[in-house]
Amino acid sequence: MGGNQTSVTEFLLVGFPLSPRMQLLLFGLFSVFYAFTLLGNGVILGLISLDSKLHTPMYFFLSQLATVDIAYACNTVPQMLVNLLSPAQPISFAGCLTQTFLFLIFAHTECLLLVVMSYDRYVAVCLPLRYSTIMSWRVCITLAVASWTLGFLLALVHMVLLLLLPFCGPQNVNHFLCELLAVLKLACADTHLNEVVIVAVGMLVLVGPVSAIVVSYGHILRAVQKIQSAEGRWKAFSTCSSHLCVVGLFYGPPIIMYIGPQHGDPQEKKKYLLLFHSLFNPMLNPLIYSLRNREVSAALRRRLGKGRPS
């Protein structure tokens, strides 16, 4: 940085330009959604931990997904609520980059976990006789650890490149959180390398996984059609359809934001996409798995039944 440049020490999140009454209304609404996110994913974690019938690889990965969703929401929603109450409240430079780093870790990890979950479903439906051998607990733990580790390393690459940039001018982040592309726009240097890395990582954790999931579900669909019993087909369909719903909701917005064509000024559209991605996705995931999955619903009924006085 040159001698005439002043280092930025804090940022101001612009958020959504709304009236005070609308901001207060959204604060109440988003607070309720946040509470449901924590409650729903907490219930999923509790059920999987307490119910021995859910001690299987599929629900182990579901517990990892619920953990990521809780962490994801805790990293993004509280700052959003603060901005709705105090729009002029700044966030420190270190705090902003920390939020960016954690956001990237959890987003990358969830991308990879969804691929692992699709592989688990592929083995369960297409190779049922070898399922317990292939998806041993050692393999499951290795896949989960690998997802978290790779998610951390990919986020670290972004952060190292981001920290090499000087920030000396504007302080207004045109977003409701410290999203990577919004922060990059405030750098006082060429960000071409950062943008290339964003697209490359996006291809790795978005396009690659989606392609793998599509291929695996093509094999699953053919295998389901060969199942003779209606109950067996329904069980395979219910577990796989829950996962497919989550995949569609999760991968859609990031692909549009980071891989899609960047024409005009789509920043406002991206804000709403990321709002859906960071607020509604973590809340909807436990609902999808509990409503469309008989085993989770049955485990919940068993837990509620035990809690009732005889």
Side-chain angles (χ1 to χ4, degrees), residues 33 36-42 44 61-70 72-73 106 110-111 113-114 117 239 241-251 276-293 296:
F33 290 161
F36 274 117
T37 297
L38 299 182
L39 178 63
N41 286 286
I44 291 289
F61 293 126
L62 180 56
S63 70
Q64 296 296 306
L65 184 67
T67 301
V68 173
D69 283 339
I70 290 174
Y72 197 78
F106 302 140
E110 184 154 355
C111 285
L113 281 174
L114 289 173
M117 293 174 74
T239 56
S241 62
S242 299
H243 183 249
L244 275 178
C245 287
V246 172
V247 166
L249 289 172
F250 181 82
Y251 283 107
F276 176 85
H277 190 260
S278 59
L279 184 64
F280 294 101
N281 264 8
M283 180 183 68
L284 292 175
N285 286 352
L287 290 176
I288 292 171
Y289 276 105
S290 61
L291 293 176
R292 298 188 63 85
N293 191 297
V296 174

Side-chain angles (χ1 to χ4, degrees), residues 251-272:
Y251 283 107
I255 288 176
I256 295 172
M257 288 187 292
Y258 299 109
I259 305 297
Q262 306 294 319
H263 54 79
D265 184 18
Q267 187 60 35
E268 291 302 316
K269 184 185 295 183
K270 287 182 178 181
K271 280 191 204 176
Y272 290 104

Side-chain angles (χ1 to χ4, degrees), residues 96-146:
C96 185
L97 294 194
T98 299
Q99 186 185 53
T100 304
F101 185 44
L102 293 175
F103 175 85
L104 292 171
I105 290 175
F106 302 140
H108 291 154
T109 301
E110 184 154 355
C111 285
L112 299 170
L113 281 174
L114 289 173
V115 179
V116 170
M117 293 174 74
S118 71
Y119 175 69
D120 172 72
R121 291 300 83 207
Y122 164 76
V123 176
V125 175
C126 299
L127 304 169
L129 298 180
R130 298 173 56 194
Y131 180 75
S132 59
T133 303
I134 296 175
M135 299 303 295
S136 65
W137 282 112
R138 182 177 179 180
V139 170
C140 292
I141 293 172
T142 300
L143 290 173
V145 171

Side-chain angles (χ1 to χ4, degrees), residues 32-223:
V32 172
F33 290 161
Y34 182 47
F36 274 117
T37 297
L38 299 182
L39 178 63
N41 286 286
V43 168
I44 291 289
L45 283 174
L47 287 175
I48 294 173
S49 174
L50 296 173
D51 198 301
S52 59
K53 293 185 178 180
L54 300 183
H55 292 175
T56 64
M58 184 179 81
Y59 294 107
F60 169 73
F61 293 126
L62 180 56
S63 70
Q64 296 296 306
L65 184 67
T67 301
V68 173
D69 283 339
I70 290 174
Y72 197 78
C74 289
N75 182 53
T76 57
V77 179
Q79 184 64 49
M80 188 194 315
L81 297 177
V82 169
N83 291 342
L84 287 172
L85 282 184
S86 305
Q89 182 72 28
I91 181 172
S92 69
F93 180 82
C96 185
L97 294 194
T98 299
Q99 186 185 53
T100 304
F101 185 44
L102 293 175
F103 175 85
L104 292 171
I105 290 175
F106 302 140
H108 291 154
T109 301
E110 184 154 355
C111 285
L112 299 170
L113 281 174
L114 289 173
V115 179
V116 170
M117 293 174 74
S118 71
Y119 175 69
D120 172 72
R121 291 300 83 207
Y122 164 76
V123 176
V125 175
C126 299
L127 304 169
L129 298 180
R130 298 173 56 194
Y131 180 75
S132 59
T133 303
I134 296 175
M135 299 303 295
S136 65
W137 282 112
R138 182 177 179 180
V139 170
C140 292
I141 293 172
T142 300
L143 290 173
V145 171
S147 298
W148 281 95
T149 303
L150 187 55
F152 172 83
L153 292 175
L154 291 173
L156 188 61
V157 171
H158 287 303
M159 289 308 300
V160 169
L161 293 176
L162 187 61
L163 288 170
L164 291 175
L165 296 172
F167 291 88
C168 53
Q171 296 175 276
N172 291 346
V173 179
N174 187 18
H175 221 292
F176 60 85
L177 57 83
C178 291
E179 190 266 338
L180 181 60
L181 290 176
V183 175
L184 276 179
K185 290 183 178 181
L186 305 183
C188 304
D190 182 30
T191 60
H192 179 69
L193 177 60
N194 301 73
E195 293 165 3
V196 169
V197 172
I198 288 172
V199 173
V201 173
M203 296 292 288
L204 177 64
V205 300
L206 293 174
V207 178
V210 168
S211 302
I213 290 171
V214 169
V215 171
S216 66
Y217 271 95
H219 290 290
I220 289 172
L221 183 60
R222 286 197 296 270

